[in-house]
């Protein structure tokens, strides 16, 4: 029996073919129709449907670059299954260089969305019904918030077995098993039985080669694990990722200039000096020490911080429970993120 075409809106994509489909979202005041762009690669043979999305937060452009490179690489004639790529979900925010939608809503807090809801709610609804619910598995690409950098990392729900397995295939520097945010895409996908990986890498509004390369190669390795493509043996090799379930934010002990000795990617020992915060006017500075041993998975890229601002994000690698200061123990959170460092 021959394979059926993949139909999205009124476009039928034949097996072995690809199409760029634009789903209308809303008309702006200037009269332009804003679209949700979807690339469909419909493989020659039957297989899983994988959805890749980027820029749900409009200023997180690192995933847009990963998606762009992926689109150029995939050949539907050599593909098993179907690949859906949405290079920019929040086109409104992307154009404005903003994380949010024009109504200041966060798209990643707007799921499951409603057809007749606010702009954010309607966009969430379109993305969910036209893309996510058509997929068997999904990878959503993000970056740190503005003025922060994230070491390339995969965040996955510990109970999502297939996702944990595919996180290892992706093989980022670290896999973080983290709780779900209410109304996030990941929470929705989980509730609907669609497992997904969340890739966090780099800094909002910037591109860096490591984030792009690790993200693109990770997606290709996941596709190979799902038997959608085959890869050259050298592309399959990656060091075994670290794994963590708990992390802690180290905060600036005072206002001042940031001088870090250690940044994302460095392993630090508990009580090790990781940098200092220096007074910009007087010759005074305060040391910053690592409260736990672990891997630095995020750091501030703003050169001046106020007291209490997030400076470093350390993922705990070992199990130091029991001999930690109760205050540090309490700050080691299973929910990995504070309000400004949002998935
Ligand atoms: Zn994000």
């Amino acid at each position: 029996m021959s394979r059926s075409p993949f139909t999205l809106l009124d476009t039928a994509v034949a097996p072995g073919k690809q199409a760029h489909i634009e789903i209308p979202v809303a008309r702006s005041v200037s009269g332009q129709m804003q679209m949700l762009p979807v690339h469909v690669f419909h493989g020659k043979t039957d297989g899983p449907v994988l959805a890749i999305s980027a820029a749900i937060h409009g200023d997180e452009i690192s995933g847009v670059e990963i998606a762009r490179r992926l689109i150029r690489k995939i050949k539907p004639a050599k593909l098993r299954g179907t690949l859906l790529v949405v290079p920019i979900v929040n086109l409104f925010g992307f154009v404005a260089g903003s994380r949010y939608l024009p109504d200041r809503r966060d798209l990643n807090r707007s799921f499951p969305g409603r057809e007749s809801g606010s702009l954010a709610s309607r966009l969430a609804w379109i993305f969910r019904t036209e893309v996510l619910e058509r997929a068997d598995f999904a990878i959503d690409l993000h970056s740190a918030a503005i003025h922060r950098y994230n070491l390339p990392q995969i965040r996955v729900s510990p109970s999502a077995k297939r996702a944990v397995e595919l996180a290892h295939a992706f093989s980022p520097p670290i896999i973080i098993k983290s709780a779900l945010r209410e109304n996030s895409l990941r929470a929705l996908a989980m509730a609907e039985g669609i497992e997904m990986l969340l890739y966090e890498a780099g800094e909002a509004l910037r591109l860096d080669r490591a984030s792009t390369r690790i993200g693109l190669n990770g997606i290709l390795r996941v596709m190979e694990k799902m038997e959608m493509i085959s890869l050259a043996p050298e592309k399959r090799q990656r060091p075994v990722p670290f794994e963590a379930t708990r992390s802690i934010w180290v905060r600036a002990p005072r206002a001042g200039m940031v001088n870090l000795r250690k940044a994302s990617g460095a392993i630090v020992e508990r009580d090790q000096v990781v940098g200092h915060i220096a007074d910009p006017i007087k010759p005074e500075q305060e040391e910053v020490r690592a409260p736990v041993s672990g891997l630095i998975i995020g750091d501030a890229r703003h050169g001046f911080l106020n007291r209490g601002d997030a400076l470093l994000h350390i993922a705990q690698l070992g199990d130091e429970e029991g001999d930690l200061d109760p205050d540090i123990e309490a700050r080691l959170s299973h929910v990995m993120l504070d309000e400004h460092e949002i998935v």
Side-chain angles (χ1 to χ4, degrees), residues 57 60 99 142-143 200 342-343:
H57 294 130
E60 297 176 3
R99 173 187 184 85
H142 288 254
S143 302
E200 274 278 354
I342 315 166
V343 171

Side-chain angles (χ1 to χ4, degrees), residues 287-342:
E287 259 178 10
V288 181
R289 290 174 184 268
V292 294
S293 300
L295 176 70
I296 302 180
I297 58 168
D299 57 89
R301 291 289 156 108
H302 211 299
F304 172 80
L305 294 179
N306 282 302
R307 182 180 169 167
D309 284 349
L311 177 63
L312 286 175
H313 193 188
I314 302 177
Q316 195 185 22
L317 299 177
D319 188 5
E320 284 180 309
E321 264 178 281
D323 68 335
L324 282 175
D325 182 278
D327 171 55
I328 289 168
E329 186 64 47
R331 281 167 52 211
L332 265 164
S333 164
H334 289 279
V335 179
M336 309 291 294
L337 312 154
D338 76 2
E339 269 307 300
H340 305 289
E341 160 44 67
I342 315 166

Side-chain angles (χ1 to χ4, degrees), residues 25-88:
V25 177
R27 196 173 289 283
S28 68
V29 284
S30 60
Q32 272 183 322
M33 184 54 88
Q34 296 282 355
M35 301 290 191
L36 179 73
V38 187
H39 290 268
V40 178
F41 298 84
H42 195 43
K44 265 226 154 90
T45 49
D46 280 333
V49 180
L50 172 66
I52 310 286
S53 52
I56 276 194
H57 294 130
D59 61 351
E60 297 176 3
I61 64 171
S62 162
V64 180
E65 177 64 10
I66 293 167
R68 188 188 71 78
R69 293 190 189 202
L70 179 67
I71 288 163
R72 289 164 63 92
K73 247 191 163 57
I74 298 301
K75 304 280 177 269
K78 291 185 175 173
L79 179 71
R80 182 181 158 267
T82 306
L83 176 70
L84 307 175
V85 183
V86 182
I88 305 174

